[in-house]
Amino acid sequence: MAATAAPWMQTGTRRAPAPWQMRWLPLMLMAAAAAAEQQVPLVLWSSDRDLWAPAVDTHEGHITSDMQLSTYLDPALELGPRNVLLFLQDKLSIEDFTAYGGVFGNKQDSAFSNLENALDLAPSSLVLPAVDWYAVSTLTTYLQEKLGASPLHVDLATLRELKLNASLPALLLIRLPYTASSSLMAPREVLTGNDEVIGQVLSTLKSEDVPYTAALTAVRPSRVTRDVAMVAGGLGRQLLQKQPASVVIHPPVSYNDTAPRILFWAQNFSVAYGGRWEDLTLITFNLQRFSLTGSSWNDSLAVLALTYEQLFGTTVTFKFILANRFYPVSARHWFTMDRLEIHGNGSVVYFNASQITGPSIYSFHCQYVSTNGDNGNILVPDTQPSLWQMTLQDFQIQAFNVTGEQFSYASDCAGFFSPGIWMGLLTSLFMLFIFTYGLHMILSLKTMDRFDDHKGPTITLTQIV
């Protein structure tokens, strides 16, 4: 599905295609369908120049995390205009741009004409097709902290009465609805109305000559299904289209001597020093811009050393140290990550990672391995507070009994009995106790064995003193 129109959006100092003009959009749609409830698009543009460099890591299937998003937003908030507009829609997905953006040649029917024009004329712009839902959910709070200004919910009437100052920070929040129910308004009509609101807001700011930075995103994805009638050529065109290629997942890091010994993988690998975050995912798993010097392996101890040049202005080495021990109680070998070491700036920082453990024939997997307490606080620094922070999302490691370059069955950090399961079990046991007690009471009932006969003498009960 190639776009017919010329690229018109500017990202930094280079031209970038619009969301509905991207040639790799089918691959993005495939990724979005796999995790539709976790991703929303984010469109940024500003009246200042050179706020963003081209987003080199927004490749097919890439999901922008909260830490990556902060690296994109920080330059705009520090160097750009102090007036920030946040157009927040209830629901929006990358499929909306495909279905209603005129991507199939019907540009005159596009529901995003004002947005398209704004991005075409903006000196700086950036498009992130898939942003993690958690990052967007905290976007308002993040902007509030960075600007030092409380969000102000405005509409067109309120905006005309405001007197914005280029030197004073202001966070303006404009809520845009989205209705997928055909009984009220069609999605195209709602999106077109939202686009008109965007155009009127930008026109008001332009008339007052107010510099600004704007962002368009949504609270959650809309999960719009593309209508066959919207595709030029109908169903036949769809069947003849080339099937999108499968999304490539980066391979794990592998340390080998005579054979693969240690495997390491993460969907997102980010570290911070002194509050400055760096995303190492691309250079670790795709570009392999690091050194494994210092890694070692034997049957009882494994050391995976990842050395990066010019990270935070110096050479930094991350050492994952795992030990394999035999435990007589369980009569089997278990591995444990004894510690994580970060060598940099002439010092060494140690993190306790004893929660990373499992049978030695298994690998270890955890959704979040982080120094952040909100994500489990699995990495605990020996000295508090620590200048170093780390977050590994969808983390997996194996250092013993590795066969080839594939992980063995994973021992997950998530417990089997969640709070919901415990509540269900306790409720079921309580109901079972009530049922058992009631059944016991019913079985204890005894019927009368003597009855009064109206033809015979009456039953006389003598009182025994």
Side-chain angles (χ1 to χ4, degrees), residues 192-415:
T192 302
N194 291 345
D195 183 70
E196 292 177 357
V197 172
I198 295 174
Q200 293 174 9
V201 170
L202 298 181
S203 178
T204 302
L205 295 179
K206 183 178 180 181
S207 63
E208 298 179 0
D209 196 22
V210 177
Y212 68 90
T213 297
L216 170 65
T217 186
V219 178
R220 60 185 184 276
S222 59
R223 290 177 290 179
V224 173
T225 303
R226 185 174 61 190
D227 191 357
V228 176
M230 297 177 183
V231 183
L235 183 60
R237 168 73 177 273
Q238 274 193 317
L239 295 176
L240 292 175
Q241 285 178 342
K242 182 180 179 180
Q243 294 296 325
S246 58
V247 178
V248 179
I249 300 177
H250 50 251
V253 172
S254 175
Y255 168 69
N256 307 324
D257 46 19
T258 57
R261 299 299 187 185
I262 308 174
L263 299 179
F264 163 67
W265 189 88
Q267 180 181 339
N268 179 272
F269 179 22
S270 300
V271 296
Y273 179 75
R276 176 189 170 192
W277 284 93
E278 290 287 346
D279 187 359
L280 305 181
T281 309
L282 184 63
I283 63 176
T284 302
F285 300 104
N286 286 11
L287 303 179
Q288 301 282 320
R289 294 179 181 173
F290 65 93
S291 173
L292 288 172
T293 303
S295 300
S296 61
W297 181 90
N298 57 49
D299 291 335
S300 59
L301 183 66
V303 178
L304 178 65
L306 307 178
T307 302
Y308 299 85
E309 301 289 342
Q310 297 303 318
L311 180 61
F312 303 111
T314 186
T315 300
V316 180
T317 300
F318 303 94
K319 286 188 176 181
F320 300 85
I321 302 176
L322 300 96
N324 184 29
R325 303 180 180 91
F326 179 78
Y327 290 87
V329 175
S330 60
R332 67 191 309 179
H333 285 82
W334 288 70
F335 74 88
T336 303
M337 182 179 290
D338 286 348
R339 64 187 182 275
L340 167 66
E341 299 179 1
I342 302 180
H343 300 250
N345 294 320
S347 62
V348 183
V349 179
Y350 300 93
F351 291 85
N352 180 13
S354 58
Q355 295 186 48
I356 301 178
T357 183
S360 60
I361 60 174
Y362 294 163
S363 63
F364 176 85
H365 173 268
C366 195
Q367 185 64 31
Y368 282 100
V369 172
S370 174
T371 57
N372 186 358
D374 295 338
N375 293 328
N377 200 24
I378 292 182
L379 300 177
V380 182
D382 286 353
T383 59
Q384 296 281 0
S386 174
L387 294 176
W388 288 94
Q389 293 178 278
M390 177 182 292
T391 293
L392 295 160
Q393 183 179 355
D394 204 6
F395 168 80
Q396 191 165 5
I397 193 169
Q398 184 175 358
F400 305 98
N401 297 288
V402 175
T403 303
E405 292 192 355
Q406 293 185 349
F407 288 100
S408 301
Y409 178 85
S411 175
D412 204 280
C413 64

Side-chain angles (χ1 to χ4, degrees), residues 12-51:
T13 58
R14 294 173 52 188
R15 285 287 189 179
W20 44 87
Q21 293 176 325
M22 294 177 181
R23 297 180 181 274
W24 42 264
L25 189 57
L27 296 174
M28 281 305 307
L29 294 180
M30 183 177 179
E37 295 185 358
Q38 300 178 356
Q39 307 167 24
V40 291
L42 177 64
V43 183
L44 298 164
W45 70 98
S46 178
S47 58
D48 278 14
R49 292 184 176 276
D50 302 328
L51 292 185

Side-chain angles (χ1 to χ4, degrees), residues 2-5 20 101-109 230 232:
T4 57
W20 44 87
V103 70
F104 300 105
N106 53 339
K107 297 298 294 181
Q108 66 277 7
D109 296 331
M230 297 177 183

Side-chain angles (χ1 to χ4, degrees), residues 49-284:
R49 292 184 176 276
D50 302 328
L51 292 185
W52 298 287
V56 295
D57 55 355
T58 55
H59 52 78
E60 296 88 342
H62 178 78
I63 302 175
T64 304
S65 64
D66 53 342
M67 298 170 188
Q68 289 177 298
L69 183 59
S70 65
T71 61
Y72 295 138
L73 293 176
D74 285 345
L77 299 176
E78 294 172 1
L79 305 175
R82 304 296 291 167
N83 295 310
V84 177
L85 303 176
L86 179 57
F87 296 97
L88 192 59
Q89 195 159 285
D90 292 339
K91 292 186 289 184
L92 185 67
S93 294
I94 193 67
E95 293 92 340
D96 288 310
F97 296 109
T98 308
Y100 308 114
V103 70
F104 300 105
N106 53 339
K107 297 298 294 181
Q108 66 277 7
D109 296 331
S110 174
F112 304 95
S113 57
N114 289 298
L115 177 61
E116 176 181 343
N117 184 61
L119 293 175
D120 193 21
L121 298 177
S124 299
S125 62
L126 180 67
V127 176
L128 302 175
V131 180
D132 185 69
W133 174 85
Y134 173 78
V136 174
S137 65
T138 59
L139 181 58
T140 304
T141 304
Y142 177 82
L143 294 175
Q144 179 179 348
E145 293 178 353
K146 284 293 183 178
L147 294 173
S150 300
L152 181 61
H153 296 260
V154 298
D155 52 21
L156 289 176
T158 308
L159 183 63
R160 294 188 181 98
E161 297 176 358
L162 288 177
K163 299 299 180 182
L164 299 177
N165 192 325
S167 60
L168 296 177
L171 177 57
L172 307 182
L173 181 60
I174 300 98
R175 297 300 298 261
L176 303 175
Y178 184 98
T179 304
S181 175
S182 58
S183 61
L184 298 176
M185 294 179 65
R188 178 185 293 276
E189 297 177 4
V190 177
L191 292 173
T192 302
N194 291 345
D195 183 70
E196 292 177 357
V197 172
I198 295 174
Q200 293 174 9
V201 170
L202 298 181
S203 178
T204 302
L205 295 179
K206 183 178 180 181
S207 63
E208 298 179 0
D209 196 22
V210 177
Y212 68 90
T213 297
L216 170 65
T217 186
V219 178
R220 60 185 184 276
S222 59
R223 290 177 290 179
V224 173
T225 303
R226 185 174 61 190
D227 191 357
V228 176
M230 297 177 183
V231 183
L235 183 60
R237 168 73 177 273
Q238 274 193 317
L239 295 176
L240 292 175
Q241 285 178 342
K242 182 180 179 180
Q243 294 296 325
S246 58
V247 178
V248 179
I249 300 177
H250 50 251
V253 172
S254 175
Y255 168 69
N256 307 324
D257 46 19
T258 57
R261 299 299 187 185
I262 308 174
L263 299 179
F264 163 67
W265 189 88
Q267 180 181 339
N268 179 272
F269 179 22
S270 300
V271 296
Y273 179 75
R276 176 189 170 192
W277 284 93
E278 290 287 346
D279 187 359
L280 305 181
T281 309
L282 184 63
I283 63 176
T284 302

